[in-house]
Amino acid sequence: MTTHVTRQIAADNQGLREAGALLRAGGLVAFPTETVYGLGADATNGTAVAGIYEAKGRPRFNPLIIHVASLEEAETFAVFSSLARRLAEAFWPGPLTLVLQQRAPSLISDLALAGLQSIAIRIPSSPIARAIITAAGRPIAAPSANRSGRVSPTNPAHVLADLEGRIDAIVMGEAAEVGVESTIVSLLDDKPVMLRPGGVTRTQIEAVLGLVVTDPELHTPDDAPLAPGMLASHYAPHAIVRLNAKQIEPSEAALLFGSFLPKGYDTARAVFNLSPSGDLKEAATNLFAALRGLDQSGALSIAVAPIPEGGLGEAILDRLNRAAAPR
Ligand code: TXA
Ligand code: MG
């Protein structure tokens, strides 16, 4: 791996222009989005895209989301059915990624799309993210800016902890507002399939489409994972994660939600409440920083109190289940 001095760029007009120029020149630049921090590269530059996989230690069969600044630009890379257009109009810019048929021939590197015929694409609502994409003048491939398999970053310190010295620059923005990644909906079979729950809820999507959103078959016919990043253990802190905890051991760190206080929480090694008032939006915003923070307590296990399933609870529980999955 090439080592870099990772430049810390201010999120002001000059900084955003600088970030755009670095991306256009093939650089790797981490930047804030409304969901989590992304690690961006020019999606049309295969060498730059290869750098993303290298910096993250990401398996090359796991495709990247392409970020654009406008629906017109998205339509040059993907075929929009009427369902796709309805979702784009309702939720873009915002935390929704659409998996659509690619429009060929495409300028986007095969490596970014892992050789698939489909493309995952979104327009972020973060004005800083959009300004950087516009300044770059290119579609931007951007996974979450963490080492592969680890907890996604919601602030610059998280990014630097994982990637300092491995990427060219980071735009030093605010903490991400949504806190969990975009919802990924595939419309490849002209029916909505939710590949990953995220910042836009299932109910919101169903309300716009007037259709039930289904879950993916776990495997494709040749047994390759459908969305590789979605299956393995992921979002993993160093500590093991134990869900639905009604009782906390003194050696454990406790991740709480709302007013429910598990037995022994007061003698836990560390405690963090995602939202004392029981607000799922606040809990999503705090989730990844809380996992990183509790990990730093040195506890070998993080015990997570029950979290409700509805709304944003689906995305929060998805991430926690993956964090708890066998590694
Ligand atoms: O909120 C987000 O989506 C963030 C920010 C930076 O935009 N990005 C993000 O990217 O979460 P990443 O790489 O961490 O997750 C992208 C997921 C992966 O699980 C990948 O397998 C899936 O999207 N994916 C990408 N292209 C796909 C495709 N054509 N079909 C199915 N899944 C795809
Ligand atoms: Mg990720």
Side-chain angles (χ1 to χ4, degrees):
M1 191 203 73
T2 14
T3 49
H4 304 69
V5 172
T6 299
R7 259 152 76 189
Q8 299 186 12
I9 299 178
D12 56 18
N13 285 340
Q14 189 196 325
L16 300 184
R17 274 198 305 276
E18 191 182 334
L22 260 171
L23 285 165
R24 206 163 47 244
L28 294 183
V29 181
F31 61 93
T33 83
E34 73 280 16
T35 57
V36 299
Y37 272 65
L39 176 59
D42 173 359
T44 68
N45 178 337
T47 311
V49 171
I52 289 182
Y53 289 90
E54 196 186 346
K56 280 184 60 93
R58 180 179 176 109
R60 285 188 176 224
F61 57 74
N62 193 1
L64 304 173
I65 295 174
I66 307 304
H67 297 67
V68 294
S70 72
L71 182 54
E72 296 67 52
E73 195 185 350
E75 296 201 58
T76 66
F77 300 118
V79 180
F80 280 71
S81 62
S82 65
L83 289 184
R85 190 155 292 116
R86 255 151 72 198
L87 288 183
E89 279 164 5
F91 299 111
W92 282 357
L96 176 70
T97 294
L98 295 175
V99 174
L100 304 172
Q101 192 60 40
Q102 222 186 104
R103 197 181 283 283
S106 177
L107 291 175
I108 293 179
S109 97
D110 277 346
L111 183 56
L113 305 178
L116 298 173
Q117 304 295 303
S118 59
I119 179 171
I121 194 162
R122 87 178 188 98
I123 306 178
S125 62
S126 154
I128 291 179
R130 283 212 308 285
I132 291 169
I133 298 164
T134 303
R138 303 283 160 81
I140 300 298
S144 49
N146 50 280
R147 293 297 289 265
S148 186
R150 309 232 66 98
V151 179
S152 298
T154 54
N155 66 39
H158 297 164
V159 176
L160 290 167
D162 272 23
L163 297 176
E164 185 159 34
R166 304 178 70 90
I167 62 177
D168 295 299
I170 171 176
V171 175
M172 306 291 285
E174 310 270 293
E177 192 187 318
V178 177
V180 290
E181 295 85 343
S182 61
T183 303
I184 305 182
V185 174
S186 168
L187 291 169
L188 291 178
D189 299 325
D190 217 43
K191 62 175 175 51
V193 179
M194 194 156 87
L195 301 182
R196 176 176 75 184
V200 174
T201 66
R202 187 186 288 270
T203 315
Q204 288 177 300
I205 293 166
E206 291 181 338
V208 164
L209 294 179
L211 292 171
V212 170
V213 173
T214 59
D215 293 316
E217 311 271 329
L218 273 189
H219 290 81
T220 54
D222 61 6
D223 220 38
L226 191 66
M230 301 318 304
L231 296 179
S233 147
H234 215 87
Y235 307 103
H238 294 284
I240 62 166
V241 174
R242 185 167 76 80
L243 301 182
N244 234 358
K246 311 274 170 49
Q247 172 154 1
I248 317 273
E249 304 302 323
S251 63
E252 291 184 303
L255 186 59
L256 307 184
F257 175 83
S259 54
F260 174 71
L261 300 174
K263 282 198 202 73
Y265 85 93
D266 47 342
T267 51
R269 185 160 179 149
V271 184
F272 187 89
N273 195 324
L274 289 170
S275 171
S277 69
D279 176 3
L280 286 167
K281 193 162 180 284
E282 180 184 26
T285 303
N286 290 332
L287 177 65
F288 291 140
L291 285 174
R292 282 182 185 253
L294 292 181
D295 222 7
Q296 280 175 356
S297 73
L300 297 181
S301 164
I302 298 173
V304 185
I307 291 176
E309 284 171 17
L312 281 173
E314 188 176 4
I316 295 170
L317 286 167
D318 171 81
R319 305 308 186 266
L320 287 170
N321 275 309
R322 288 174 210 290
R327 311 198 184 142

